[in-house]
Amino acid sequence: MDFFCCCHCFSATSGEREALTAQCPKQLRRDIGGADVFSKEGNLTMKLVNVLEIDTLFSDIAETFNKQHGDHWAMKEAIQRLKEDSGCAPTSSLTTCIEHIKQKYGTCKAQVQMEGYTFSLVAEEKEVPEKLEQAQRQVGELNHATKRVIATEMKLQEMVLSVLQSQKQLEETVKAANPEYLDQVRLNVNLRENFQKVSVAKELAKQYGEDASKVMKEMAQLAGLTL
């Protein structure tokens, strides 16, 4: 198979854990065989297997997932702020929230517009109340985050599928590159843990994509369109 290559440098550390730099919420953490999928900083972490190409491959997956994870969080935060600013209950749907904003500022004739995958909250009046302007900014942030989640989804799933389909080959490569038996045992444990983490990331990424698609569909319906 073809490995993803970049200029990452890897070196074994006491924990052999490479923490990716993307900052994500701390709430999402799971255990796999006693090992956290997410670091204390809220990032997906991978363990080193002492083969540069494979370490780079897992690093690319983790980095891509962490970006999507952060964008999904930003998407949820934008929705929550819209609800808070409009006075809607936290359990209200996005559609209910937008409809409430439209009614609240009826004289400004606020409406959702959508072109392709870009949606916005526009008003006929050039000068609008500060709260409505704030809601417009939140809708803009929601759109940017939602589009990024969707854009990352296909790329990430392709990367994950390639790794999972090549599991046996990667195991053999790690074994051949580390002839010492104890190294083989230790690094094989790291490799298998990475595979498990990739499987978890695959499922989470799928859920993030579904959440983003739901937002797109709701905004399309508010704009009088059907996706």
Side-chain angles (χ1 to χ4, degrees), residues 97-108:
C97 179
I98 297 296
E99 290 290 3
H100 180 77
I101 292 172
K102 288 165 61 178
Q103 293 174 7
K104 187 174 182 179
Y105 301 101
T107 57
C108 297

Side-chain angles (χ1 to χ4, degrees), residues 39-59:
S39 68
K40 292 181 180 180
E41 290 74 27
N43 301 318
L44 175 65
T45 61
M46 295 291 180
K47 286 191 172 181
L48 300 178
V49 297
N50 203 32
V51 178
L52 179 59
E53 293 86 354
I54 298 177
D55 285 329
T56 300
L57 185 62
F58 282 118
S59 174

Side-chain angles (χ1 to χ4, degrees), residues 20-220:
L20 277 299
T21 57
Q23 293 302 307
C24 302
K26 296 180 180 179
Q27 288 90 329
L28 277 174
R29 298 185 68 182
R30 296 188 181 184
D31 288 334
I32 295 181
D36 288 330
V37 175
F38 291 94
S39 68
K40 292 181 180 180
E41 290 74 27
N43 301 318
L44 175 65
T45 61
M46 295 291 180
K47 286 191 172 181
L48 300 178
V49 297
N50 203 32
V51 178
L52 179 59
E53 293 86 354
I54 298 177
D55 285 329
T56 300
L57 185 62
F58 282 118
S59 174
D60 287 345
I61 290 175
E63 184 175 8
T64 302
F65 173 80
N66 285 336
K67 288 178 180 178
Q68 190 200 35
H69 182 60
D71 289 333
H72 179 262
W73 182 257
M75 184 182 79
K76 292 293 188 181
E77 282 285 284
I79 293 174
Q80 187 60 35
R81 285 195 294 268
L82 271 172
K83 292 178 181 180
E84 292 174 356
D85 293 343
S86 64
C88 290
T91 55
S92 300
S93 67
L94 176 60
T95 297
T96 299
C97 179
I98 297 296
E99 290 290 3
H100 180 77
I101 292 172
K102 288 165 61 178
Q103 293 174 7
K104 187 174 182 179
Y105 301 101
T107 57
C108 297
K109 297 181 179 180
Q111 297 291 333
V112 174
Q113 286 187 357
M114 191 167 192
E115 294 184 12
Y117 285 91
T118 300
F119 57 76
S120 58
L121 182 64
V122 300
E124 289 189 8
E125 299 294 331
K126 291 186 177 181
E127 293 191 12
V128 299
E130 183 179 349
K131 285 291 186 180
L132 177 55
E133 186 177 357
Q134 187 172 325
Q136 289 177 307
R137 287 196 298 270
Q138 294 298 339
V139 170
E141 291 180 12
L142 174 61
N143 181 236
H144 291 316
T146 303
K147 287 196 295 184
R148 288 195 298 265
V149 170
I150 292 174
T152 305
E153 172 69 8
M154 184 175 295
K155 176 183 177 182
L156 185 59
Q157 293 297 344
E158 288 177 352
M159 295 169 72
V160 166
L161 182 62
S162 176
V163 166
L164 295 179
Q165 287 181 337
S166 305
Q167 182 169 347
K168 287 295 183 181
Q169 181 183 343
L170 295 179
E171 289 174 352
E172 290 299 323
T173 301
V174 171
K175 182 178 180 180
N178 299 278
E180 293 293 331
Y181 175 73
L182 292 180
D183 287 339
Q184 288 181 6
V185 172
R186 173 172 52 83
L187 295 173
N188 187 58
V189 170
N190 288 356
L191 182 61
R192 288 186 178 276
E193 185 177 313
N194 285 352
F195 283 129
Q196 290 177 305
K197 291 179 178 183
V198 166
S199 295
V200 173
K202 178 177 181 290
E203 293 305 313
L204 286 174
K206 180 181 178 183
Q207 182 60 58
Y208 296 164
E210 290 173 354
D211 290 346
S213 294
K214 182 180 177 182
V215 170
M216 282 291 179
K217 288 178 181 178
E218 283 193 77
M219 298 305 288

